[in-house]
Amino acid sequence: MLKDIEGGRAAAAQLAAGAPLHSVLDVADPADWLALDAAVREATWHHPQLLPRWEHTVLLPADLTQLDESRLALALCHRDGRVRQQALHQLVRAPGLLPLVVIRCADWVGAVREHARLLLRETLTVDSALDLAPLVLRLGRRDRGAFGVDVLGRVLRQASSRQLAVLFAAPDRVVRRFAYRLVVEGRLLGPVELARAAARDQDTVVQDLCATAVLAALTDDHATEEVLLPLLSARNPRVRSAGVTALRRTGLSKQAEPFLSDRSALVRGCARYVVRQQGGDPAVWYRKRCAAADDAALPPGAVIGLAECDNRADAALLRPLLVHPAAGVRAQAVAGLRALECVDAEQLRPLLDDPAAGVVRETAAALLPSAKKLPADWLLERTSSEWPRHVRVGAFRLLDARGGIVALRAAVGLLEDADTKLRTWASQSVQRWHPSPDERRGDAQVGELLDRSRHLFSDYVLRRRKWEAGVNS
């Protein structure tokens, strides 16, 4: 691959010397063609000495009939639009240069552009369109690039799903999206193939496109394990939610119950809808599982799922789970209490020392509204280097939310911390600090702390902060 403009210049020089096109660039890589085009144009303007033989030849359009494929490629990239247009007339001798015709379809010179477009319409076949799709779609993002995409679509609509399959494995997700839109539009794939594609592809757009198409095409005749299993076992939550929806459409709503405790809120919500539609009560299902506070196999999704049913009385089932042996359950119990607005700061405070980072993160988020009620010295102690990083982060997050001199003291204390992220966060906290209106003015400690962090301020801003705090400069 031509990595940069220097690589493009070197490739142009080799082509000018007569090197075969295939030995100079990867003809299957759109980036190589685009780099060559840019490098030749740049070289003819600013570095003509790099291509002495070629420069002399291509400035004589009448002699273009004498050029081989390599030099004709250079002529198609020439800075002079007249040379580019003359070169287009010679394409019948060099069908391997069709990628440069695609590029010229977005040319800035109207006459060149129209000639290239006529050539593309006349020469593009299904086979060549499959090869050129990555380049056409990449150019489609440019000005005047829509024409190529339109022609590509018209040609590939004549292709079969077997022919389009080569694009399904393309590394460029834009190419895969384009190909799957064509097969969905043309109904070229059945529910089984679409379900497998939705579960297999890593791009969320392709996943959504194929999963939605499965639901649209699904009938009782297709309600087989081959369709449902790929959807229900997919890693992407949107695909799994489509699978849960398919259960209802195919009369298999009872199988949606295990997904009430899915790790994704989207899938849980979809499963609750399906269960309710068949007369069930998800809240009862959740309560039954969360009532067993000593169940080591309790899924965390069931805990937060109970809170998502939005009954504050269920907080009584969540509180015993704060000491569950599984960190995921403890974290979701905290998140559930927060969602139900049933947070007891004193009850949650010990979880700021939890060995699991996820639990501390959820606890800090739940305690943010109560930050001023927490003991300042207790939090400050947990920002010291003796504590695990996640505990320090949680404590500083609460101190920062608390504001006032306590937040400033904590932030200044971390300005030289060994942890880069904590140090950066502390610097930002100091820079946006302002005295709280409920604190007394003129505290000498504020002046001392600001002086220790003077490297973060201009002289004017530092004086302004001190003036706000009632401290003499």
Side-chain angles (χ1 to χ4, degrees):
M1 179 178 176
L2 309 182
K3 299 295 184 184
D4 50 28
I5 196 71
E6 292 295 334
R9 286 181 197 151
Q14 292 176 57
L15 292 175
L21 199 66
H22 288 72
S23 69
V24 173
L25 70 158
D26 181 355
V27 295
D29 188 345
D32 272 22
W33 290 104
L34 293 169
L36 178 67
D37 180 53
V40 171
R41 184 167 62 255
E42 191 264 352
T44 53
W45 277 110
H46 305 295
H47 304 280
Q49 73 280 2
L50 296 178
L51 311 167
R53 294 174 56 195
W54 165 67
E55 179 70 9
H56 173 72
T57 303
V58 297
L59 287 177
L60 301 173
D63 293 337
L64 290 176
T65 56
Q66 308 301 318
L67 297 181
D68 57 19
E69 184 184 55
S70 297
R71 294 182 178 89
L72 190 57
L74 298 175
L76 283 166
C77 305
H78 195 272
R79 70 172 186 252
D80 191 327
R82 291 167 298 181
V83 177
R84 295 198 302 277
Q85 188 170 11
Q86 285 289 329
L88 285 170
H89 286 288
Q90 308 303 319
L91 259 295
V92 67
R93 298 187 294 106
L97 297 181
L98 195 54
L100 290 175
V101 176
V102 172
I103 295 176
R104 297 281 71 84
C105 285
D107 200 279
W108 58 94
V109 177
V112 177
R113 187 167 64 245
E114 292 308 317
H115 191 173
R117 291 179 175 184
L118 178 62
L119 281 174
L120 189 67
R121 278 195 295 261
E122 292 176 347
T123 59
L124 197 64
T125 64
V126 169
D127 288 339
S128 60
L130 292 170
D131 293 335
L132 290 171
L135 175 61
V136 173
L137 293 171
R138 187 161 178 169
L139 279 166
R141 306 167 201 170
R142 295 185 177 182
D143 289 342
R144 302 180 293 271
F147 172 85
V149 177
D150 184 57
V151 173
L152 181 72
R154 286 204 299 269
V155 172
L156 288 184
R157 283 184 181 90
Q158 304 167 28
S160 66
S161 60
R162 187 169 59 85
Q163 289 174 303
L164 290 170
V166 68
L167 301 182
F168 298 160
D172 187 343
R173 62 185 179 182
V174 174
V175 176
R176 300 200 305 277
R177 291 173 184 177
F178 186 82
Y180 278 113
R181 285 192 181 103
L182 289 177
V183 298
V184 168
E185 176 188 304
R187 299 182 179 180
L188 300 178
L189 292 180
V192 173
E193 292 87 354
L194 289 168
R196 289 173 181 167
R200 177 182 63 246
D201 202 280
Q202 299 299 308
D203 181 57
T204 55
V205 174
V206 172
Q207 293 166 356
D208 286 351
L209 182 69
C210 293
T212 302
V214 171
L215 295 180
L218 202 60
T219 65
D220 290 339
D221 295 336
H222 293 127
T224 65
E225 186 175 335
E226 285 185 292
V227 176
L228 295 176
L229 185 59
L231 297 178
L232 294 173
S233 59
R235 294 182 62 184
N236 182 268
R238 294 183 68 86
V239 178
R240 291 203 304 281
S241 68
V244 174
T245 301
L247 290 173
R248 175 175 176 267
R249 293 192 177 188
T250 55
L252 301 172
S253 298
K254 191 68 178 174
Q255 295 183 26
E257 283 192 352
F259 293 92
L260 290 170
S261 59
D262 194 90
R263 61 184 180 274
S264 164
L266 176 64
V267 179
R268 292 194 300 270
C270 192
R272 286 194 293 272
Y273 171 78
V274 172
V275 169
R276 289 188 184 109
Q277 290 300 302
Q278 59 112 17
D281 186 350
V284 172
W285 188 92
Y286 285 128
R287 289 177 189 131
K288 180 178 179 182
R289 278 146 188 82
C290 293
D294 57 348
D295 180 7
L298 177 64
V303 179
I304 189 62
L306 177 61
E308 288 166 346
C309 292
D310 204 24
N311 186 335
R312 297 187 71 183
D314 290 327
L317 288 173
L318 297 180
R319 290 191 179 100
L321 300 176
L322 295 174
V323 293
H324 193 276
V329 172
R330 296 197 302 277
Q332 295 300 347
V334 174
L337 291 171
R338 179 188 175 200
L340 293 173
E341 298 181 348
C342 293
V343 171
D344 181 334
E346 283 304 312
Q347 186 180 40
L348 292 188
R349 183 156 70 96
L351 289 175
L352 287 172
D353 295 342
D354 197 278
V359 177
V360 175
R361 186 165 52 248
E362 288 291 350
T363 303
L367 290 176
L368 281 176
S370 309
K372 290 190 176 182
K373 299 178 182 177
L374 299 173
D377 291 340
W378 186 86
L379 289 174
L380 279 168
E381 177 192 348
R382 279 153 180 76
T383 63
S384 65
S385 58
E386 291 81 16
W387 290 85
R389 183 183 184 278
H390 64 274
V391 174
R392 302 177 71 208
V393 169
F396 183 63
R397 183 181 180 187
L398 291 166
L399 287 165
D400 190 41
R402 182 189 183 102
I405 189 173
V406 173
L408 182 61
R409 189 186 310 140
V412 172
L414 292 171
L415 288 180
E416 297 181 1
D417 197 86
D419 188 291
T420 303
K421 290 187 177 180
L422 261 176
R423 190 168 64 245
T424 302
W425 187 9
S427 299
Q428 294 168 346
S429 177
V430 172
Q431 288 172 321
R432 65 173 177 263
W433 181 86
H434 291 275
S436 298
D438 56 347
E439 291 191 348
R440 68 182 182 85
R441 290 167 54 81
D443 191 331
Q445 188 182 38
V446 172
E448 178 189 343
L449 292 169
L450 290 173
D451 282 336
R452 286 172 57 188
S453 54
R454 64 168 55 250
H455 61 285
L456 299 174
F457 301 102
S458 67
D459 291 341
Y460 169 77
V461 173
L462 182 61
R463 287 196 304 270
R464 181 77 184 179
R465 288 288 188 278
K466 288 184 175 182
W467 176 82
E468 289 178 14
V471 178
N472 293 327
S473 297

